[in-house]
Amino acid sequence: MISAKHEILHCERCQSAFECKANSYTKCQCSTVQLSINEVQYVSELYDGCLCASCLLDLQKEYQESL
């Protein structure tokens, strides 16, 4: 459910809309994805903006498969 309380962003990778809760990070959808430092670096080399949790999981898997 998306409310007007937080900023609505579009995933830079898939363009799906999601509610950014950067001011309340532990409640943000992206906090459900636990990335290692190397995985964070991999994602940040590909994208500058916020990504949805689904894309973060896909990129985590992509990184792990590239090892």
Side-chain angles (χ1 to χ4, degrees):
M1 176 181 219
I2 296 177
S3 70
K5 186 175 180 182
H6 299 281
E7 184 177 8
I8 304 302
L9 298 179
H10 288 85
C11 176
E12 189 176 327
R13 184 171 180 253
C14 73
Q15 301 306 311
S16 66
F18 63 91
E19 189 175 26
C20 178
K21 296 181 182 176
N23 293 342
S24 185
Y25 174 74
T26 59
K27 295 178 184 175
C28 192
Q29 55 89 37
C30 67
S31 70
T32 62
V33 182
Q34 301 298 310
L35 300 175
S36 70
I37 289 180
N38 290 338
E39 292 164 345
V40 169
Q41 183 176 356
Y42 176 74
V43 172
S44 68
E45 288 173 358
L46 297 172
Y47 300 97
D48 293 323
C50 289
L51 301 175
C52 69
S54 178
C55 283
L56 288 174
L57 287 170
D58 288 346
L59 289 166
Q60 183 180 47
K61 182 178 178 183
E62 184 179 292
Y63 174 79
Q64 291 298 321
E65 290 173 350
S66 73
L67 296 178

